[in-house]
Amino acid sequence: MDLKEPQNIFTLLWEGLKLVNRSGSVLILFILTAVLLNAAALLLLHFGISSLLVNLYSAVCTAFLVVLLFRILAAKADNFGESFSNSLSASVFPTIYLLICNILLFIVYVVLVIVGAFLGHLLQFVGLGIAALLGAFFITRLIFSIPAIALKDQGPIQAILYSWNMTQSLKSFLKTFLTFFITSILSTLYILGVLRALYVVIPLYFADSFDITALTPEWYAVGIVCLLGLGVVWFWSAATFVLFFLNSDYGENRGAYTPSAQADLLSQQTQVFGADNNVLPANLGKPVRQEDVNNRLEIVQASVKTHSGDEQVQEHLSQVYQPKPEDFVEYTEEDRMPTILFDDDMAKQIEENRQMWAKKKETDANKTDDEDDFGTIKMSK
């Protein structure tokens, strides 16, 4: 699933179930961590620690487990590559922020209760309905504050404002309310189904073999399966909500996830080809600037592919640039540069050879035929 694209609630539910399946091994470690933390609370009670301190410890552990669960699910959903040990260490400070945020939200809850009681006293059932609507409204507007603290490392006030801004439009508010309602009711529906089976289905069809005071191993196995199913449904709800938060966060802050421009063009000077003034861009050779990116220039991936074969290179150049007749420049013999560098001695020897050949040509030109005959000695055998 592409989290950057808008997804409906049915897709999120299906992907949430798949996310629980992918996170099976990490969720087992999470369950073991939760068991150890709760066992530590029982040990504190056993050693006579005050119940107030134990309750405070339990509140801290609950907040820590919530942050930890959000982080490991988000790591699997968005491929963060964060290990379970890193998630443990990264959940410490967000736990403190979450506790402060819960205190602030508890104050809001108390205010809503007082307003509801006041309206219920004045308007009776109508007042209770208004209070329920206000409660649903504020819960929906502030529900994103918890994942914002866990996944975006935001402070309590910043997370509350972030959640408020995320649900400010009517469409996002209704979608958030529907998703939160469905994910919250999954566990409730499962528990109601188990209770119905316990009080209706089992007495009707298994009354002879089911005895609550003397359960057989088969019924213990059924109970364990029901507990495991409850855990899966609870993790399913959490995974679906995490996916919904990530999808909404990408949608509301799409610009923050645009890959930064990191492509440097080759450093070349501006050139003019032919008479058509085909000038290369002035910014050639300069890195892409941030203001260019802000002006709706997005570089996702850049690559340069070259061929080592000369034939392919020449073919490419002939396709890209075909010279015109006016581009050709004729060179004379005087315009050519010497291709051999020589020293003074070589230059002196060349000059002597030139003078000698010049004298020989002059002597040959002044000779007559007779002189040529006497000057030539013919030898016979």
Side-chain angles (χ1 to χ4, degrees):
M1 183 184 68
D2 189 3
L3 290 172
K4 298 181 179 62
E5 299 297 329
Q7 305 292 339
N8 55 53
I9 183 59
F10 302 104
T11 303
L12 292 174
L13 285 170
W14 174 245
E15 292 296 332
L17 191 59
K18 293 167 61 177
L19 178 59
V20 173
N21 182 48
R22 294 200 311 269
S23 307
S25 58
V26 185
L27 291 178
I28 292 175
L29 295 177
F30 172 81
I31 293 173
L32 293 177
T33 303
V35 170
L36 291 176
L37 291 177
N38 286 280
L42 296 177
L43 288 176
L44 292 177
L45 288 175
H46 178 73
F47 287 107
I49 304 299
S50 173
S51 59
L52 179 62
L53 295 178
V54 174
N55 291 333
L56 180 60
Y57 169 80
S58 299
V60 174
C61 289
T62 302
F64 177 79
L65 291 175
V66 169
V67 174
L68 180 62
L69 179 61
F70 273 62
R71 290 195 70 91
I72 61 179
L73 290 176
K76 288 292 184 180
D78 212 13
N79 297 321
F80 288 165
E82 186 178 69
S83 63
F84 183 77
S85 58
N86 291 335
S87 298
L88 284 173
S89 59
S91 302
V92 176
F93 285 105
T95 298
I96 300 174
Y97 296 151
L98 183 58
L99 289 173
I100 298 174
C101 181
N102 287 337
I103 293 174
L104 297 176
L105 295 179
F106 179 75
I107 295 173
V108 175
Y109 173 76
V110 171
V111 172
L112 290 176
V113 170
I114 294 174
V115 172
F118 179 74
L119 292 176
H121 178 72
L122 292 179
L123 304 175
Q124 296 182 355
F125 294 105
V126 177
L128 293 176
I130 295 175
L133 292 176
L134 287 176
F137 173 79
F138 280 100
I139 290 175
T140 305
R141 295 298 301 269
L142 300 176
I143 193 62
F144 283 143
S145 58
I146 298 176
I149 291 175
L151 303 180
K152 298 180 68 67
D153 297 330
Q154 294 184 352
I157 303 298
Q158 187 181 4
I160 292 175
L161 295 177
Y162 177 81
S163 179
W164 192 268
N165 293 330
M166 283 276 288
T167 55
Q168 61 182 351
S169 65
L170 179 61
K171 181 179 179 181
S172 60
F173 175 83
L174 293 177
K175 189 174 182 180
T176 303
F177 175 78
L178 178 62
T179 304
F180 178 69
F181 175 77
I182 292 176
T183 54
S184 300
I185 205 173
L186 286 177
S187 300
T188 303
L189 291 177
Y190 180 84
I191 293 174
L192 290 176
V194 172
L195 292 177
R196 176 176 174 79
L198 184 63
Y199 287 99
V200 177
V201 177
I202 292 177
L204 285 177
Y205 299 99
F206 303 96
D208 297 335
S209 60
F210 181 78
D211 185 3
I212 194 66
T213 59
L215 294 176
T216 60
E218 290 79 7
W219 286 111
Y220 280 113
V222 172
I224 293 174
V225 171
C226 291
L227 289 177
L228 291 176
L230 179 61
V232 171
V233 172
W234 187 70
F235 285 132
W236 182 21
S237 302
T240 303
F241 183 74
V242 168
L243 291 176
F244 175 68
F245 170 76
L246 294 175
N247 186 242
S248 301
D249 184 59
Y250 274 116
E252 294 294 330
N253 304 276
R254 196 172 303 278
Y257 298 95
T258 302
S260 58
Q262 296 179 351
D264 293 339
L265 301 179
L266 296 177
S267 178
Q268 296 181 3
Q269 296 180 353
T270 302
Q271 301 178 12
V272 179
F273 298 100
D276 55 354
N277 293 330
N278 183 16
V279 183
L280 293 178
N283 62 345
L284 184 65
K286 299 179 182 179
V288 180
R289 300 173 299 175
Q290 185 63 38
E291 49 265 29
D292 296 331
V293 179
N294 295 335
N295 294 331
R296 304 182 66 180
L297 171 63
E298 299 181 2
I299 297 180
V300 179
Q301 184 178 4
S303 63
V304 177
K305 184 177 182 181
T306 60
H307 300 279
S308 59
D310 294 337
E311 297 180 358
Q312 295 177 342
V313 173
Q314 293 299 329
E315 181 182 358
H316 174 71
L317 292 177
S318 62
Q319 293 176 354
V320 173
Y321 174 60
Q322 297 180 355
K324 299 179 181 179
E326 58 268 19
D327 297 333
F328 289 101
V329 178
E330 296 183 359
Y331 294 97
T332 60
E333 199 66 33
E334 290 78 6
D335 295 330
R336 296 185 179 275
M337 296 293 293
T339 58
I340 301 177
L341 298 178
F342 47 84
D343 54 12
D344 295 338
D345 294 338
M346 185 179 291
K348 184 178 179 181
Q349 183 66 36
I350 293 174
E351 181 63 23
E352 291 177 356
N353 294 336
R354 189 187 65 80
Q355 293 178 2
M356 181 183 67
W357 283 106
K359 289 180 180 180
K360 185 178 182 306
K361 288 181 180 180
E362 184 179 356
T363 303
D364 293 341
N366 294 331
K367 282 183 180 182
T368 61
D369 295 339
D370 295 337
E371 292 177 349
D372 193 24
D373 293 337
F374 287 106
T376 302
I377 300 174
K378 296 183 179 180
M379 298 186 67
S380 60
K381 295 182 181 181

